[in-house]
Amino acid sequence: MRRLLSRGALVAFVVDVLLGVVAWWLAFWLRFNLDIPDEFARLAWSTLAWCTLGTVVGLALRRVDRHVWTHTGLPEISRVAEGVALGGIFTAVAVLMLRVPDFPRSVLLLQPILAFLLMGLARAAWRIQAEGSLQGGTPLVVVGTLDQASEALRALRASNRWRAIGILSPLRTDRGRTLQGVRVLGTVADLPTVCAAVDVRAALVASPPGSEQRREALLLAAESQITLMTMPRADEWLRAESAGPRKVELEDLLGRAPVELDVQGLAGMVSGQTVLVTGAGGSIGSELCRQIARFGAARLVCVDVSEYAIYQLEQELQESHPQMRGIYYTANVRDPERLLAIATRHAPAVVFHAAAYKHVPLMEQLNEIEALRTNVIGTLHAATVAAQCGASRFVMISTDKAVNPTNVMGASKRLAELAVQAVAAQHTGTSFVSVRFGNVLGSSGSVVPLFTRQIARGGPVTVTHPDIVRYFMTIPEAAQLVLQAALMGRSGQIFVLDMGEPVRIVELARMLIRLSGHTEEEIPITFTGLRPGEKLFEELLADDETTLTTPHPKLRIAKTGGQVPDVQALQQWIEGAGPAPSERDLRAWLKAQVPEYQPR
């Protein structure tokens, strides 16, 4: 047995057996009314032997020796009960079958009961002592319902950095109740008052991402100079530095319920395969690479025009997924020969095309031809190469700005969608899919990094219009839904992601100001007017009239029209337009290709 158990487990097992012996002695003593007659004393050794043997057998069968007493909970106590019960049954069966003479039958019942009580008390005492030694750390209050607070309290007990001293529940009826020894001190609205009364400067929000409790707590915390914390997201638990509470971020306030993925299907699509990602160094491309690595790709071919971006991605993936073979190229999707050489060498089974120019104002003036060359011709090259190298799937990352576009960037992405459908009609051996979604929080060139820099400088925060709204989702959610669409899609389809409710950009700015610990009086917001090609709101076409439902609640299929273009003529015009075509001619040609394009 010593070879099977570690030293700690062996000690714990011996202690349990000794507690079983004590239980036998108490049972034998109680059986004879605290006074053992001389004629029954000879039974002591036989009953001790059989009860001890039964205890050893029962505990060994339920592997009670593997329990960690410091973290004893109901599952461990249940195992102890099962082990003791099995030991009692073993002893009873052995005694009755062997017809041990004069064996006191009541001991067969008393000993297991007393053994369970002693073992349970020993574990409870050990856990209380262990938790008592961890009662240091920074005090904080927990914000959330009792169910949410219960999970947070269990996580906090394993940390010596934080200590919960109160709960703030959204339900007034919970006030005064106690959970795991921590009292409910009030409601979320009482956050400043309670923190001042108990001299606490930190609050842990246990409510789910995007909940009203989180936003309310943010507003109150910023006014009272309280540090707002939350538990790591599921994807962050994998990182060692994220093993405890962290500060609340914008994703926690605007986030939604985790995406439900067909894990088995995605693993079958990616696991053991070679996957190629263009634009791999970008916000969406790099997150796609992380998710693909997580699903067990054998080889991940990463392509990006930026040397620094691909270097950063290489360093990250080598550290987080050393078992995966990562292959990193600096290349431009506008160079078809280079792209074909890469794809031919590695023969990817799946190609994700995330390379694109996406900044609306920058592509609207002076750089229109660059948007067409990268977003249209680059996509055409990537799709054609995917078919030529025998890939089973090709997925293009599109945008909500492709819906009734008012700017060159959006029109170029809509034309790229049509180009992908044209390639799909020519190459039936590969499934070609496009996926549209709105803004992702924290992506390069988005408003969040801009607002963050402006706040760091002391303001003002610039918003184009007080009524402008946008759809937002987190980068991991977007990448996961792209993978799901790749698995579900049939060739030629355009998927639309459920982006939830639109967010007013001015409210986004206010939340970021509060998260930084300031108020709008300290960091003012100014309005600068709509920029060229910018809409007040974006359209996703995610309603029943313009989309079809899918088995996944956050994915719909767009019912789009539009004539599939002649890709050869498309390529000839863009390449023949030269380095600086007339803006009027370029927009007129683009409108002819994308009739719904209405330039401002």
Side-chain angles (χ1 to χ4, degrees), residues 173-461:
T173 53
D174 289 337
R175 186 193 294 267
R177 301 180 70 182
T178 300
L179 178 67
Q180 299 181 30
V182 182
R183 188 178 179 188
V184 179
L185 301 176
T187 64
V188 182
D190 300 324
L191 179 63
T193 307
V194 169
C195 287
V198 297
D199 193 23
V200 166
R201 308 310 305 163
L204 175 67
V205 184
S207 51
S211 65
E212 194 60 38
Q213 287 82 21
R214 287 197 179 223
R215 300 191 189 191
E216 183 180 1
L218 170 65
L219 297 175
L220 295 169
E223 294 173 357
S224 308
Q225 300 298 310
I226 298 168
T227 302
L228 211 58
M229 314 290 291
T230 188
M231 298 305 293
R233 296 184 295 271
D235 57 309
E236 294 176 327
W237 281 111
L238 300 177
R239 307 172 193 167
E241 67 271 19
S242 301
R246 58 165 175 79
K247 284 190 176 182
V248 166
E249 299 172 354
L250 189 62
E251 289 88 340
D252 303 310
L253 299 168
L254 298 180
R256 300 181 290 171
V259 177
E260 295 180 5
L261 296 175
D262 179 0
V263 175
Q264 185 175 359
L266 289 174
M269 180 181 75
V270 172
S271 180
Q273 301 291 331
T274 298
V275 181
L276 187 149
V277 180
T278 69
S283 306
I284 296 298
S286 59
E287 183 60 31
L288 276 172
C289 291
R290 295 183 194 102
Q291 300 289 343
I292 291 166
R294 186 167 67 89
F295 280 107
R299 287 188 300 177
L300 179 58
V301 183
C302 305
V303 179
D304 199 283
V305 72
S306 169
E307 177 192 27
Y308 181 63
I310 207 72
Y311 165 75
Q312 283 188 310
L313 181 66
E314 177 190 27
Q315 296 301 303
E316 178 188 342
L317 293 182
Q318 283 181 348
E319 181 180 355
S320 58
H321 298 280
Q323 79 289 347
M324 182 192 70
R325 185 184 175 195
I327 304 165
Y328 306 91
Y329 286 97
T330 55
N332 197 325
V333 293
R334 284 154 53 163
D335 183 349
E337 287 80 11
R338 170 69 166 161
L339 207 57
L340 180 59
I342 293 170
T344 302
R345 180 175 182 179
H346 300 289
V350 186
V351 175
F352 291 93
H353 177 56
Y357 282 138
K358 63 178 185 177
H359 198 269
V360 171
L362 199 60
M363 295 299 108
E364 193 64 17
Q365 295 176 330
L366 307 178
N367 299 298
E368 301 97 320
I369 190 63
E370 295 300 306
L372 293 181
R373 286 175 173 175
T374 294
N375 294 356
V376 180
I377 299 302
T379 298
L380 196 56
H381 290 162
T384 304
V385 164
Q388 290 174 339
C389 73
S392 60
R393 288 181 174 87
F394 173 88
V395 183
M396 185 196 83
I397 309 301
S398 189
T399 171
D400 56 359
K401 295 174 180 61
V403 183
N404 299 325
T406 60
N407 51 68
V408 171
M409 195 284 285
S412 70
K413 293 296 283 186
R414 175 60 184 140
L415 189 53
E417 291 177 351
L418 294 171
V420 169
Q421 290 179 326
V423 176
Q426 297 173 359
H427 301 275
T428 57
T430 302
S431 174
F432 293 88
V433 172
S434 299
V435 183
R436 289 177 183 164
F437 53 85
N439 301 278
V440 289
L441 292 169
S443 64
S444 58
S446 70
V447 296
V448 175
L450 171 64
F451 288 169
T452 302
R453 289 194 299 271
Q454 291 175 337
I455 292 169
R457 291 197 303 261
V461 174

Side-chain angles (χ1 to χ4, degrees), residues 460-492:
V461 174
T462 57
V463 178
T464 57
H465 193 283
D467 297 324
I468 192 169
V469 297
R470 290 292 182 267
Y471 293 93
F472 285 96
M473 65 168 46
T474 65
I475 294 175
E477 181 179 10
Q480 289 168 4
L481 286 173
V482 168
L483 288 172
Q484 188 67 47
L487 178 65
M488 295 170 47
R490 294 199 303 271
S491 194

Side-chain angles (χ1 to χ4, degrees), residues 471-513:
Y471 293 93
F472 285 96
M473 65 168 46
T474 65
I475 294 175
E477 181 179 10
Q480 289 168 4
L481 286 173
V482 168
L483 288 172
Q484 188 67 47
L487 178 65
M488 295 170 47
R490 294 199 303 271
S491 194
Q493 289 180 332
I494 298 174
F495 280 85
V496 180
L497 305 191
D498 171 19
M499 298 292 295
E501 295 298 321
V503 178
R504 292 179 65 203
I505 298 299
V506 68
E507 291 299 325
L508 190 72
R510 287 174 181 149
M511 281 190 278
L512 278 170
I513 291 171

Side-chain angles (χ1 to χ4, degrees), residues 136-149:
T138 305
L140 53 71
V141 295
V142 178
V143 179
T145 64
L146 295 185
D147 286 341
Q148 295 159 358

Side-chain angles (χ1 to χ4, degrees), residues 75 89 103 107 128 160 256 284 292 307 311 339 403 441 479 489 503 564 567 571 584 587 600:
I89 293 171
F103 194 101
V107 172
I128 291 171
N160 57 3
R256 300 181 290 171
I284 296 298
I292 291 166
E307 177 192 27
Y311 165 75
L339 207 57
V403 183
L441 292 169
V503 178
V564 175
V567 293
Q571 191 164 353
R584 178 179 295 180
R587 283 176 167 78
R600 293 186 183 275

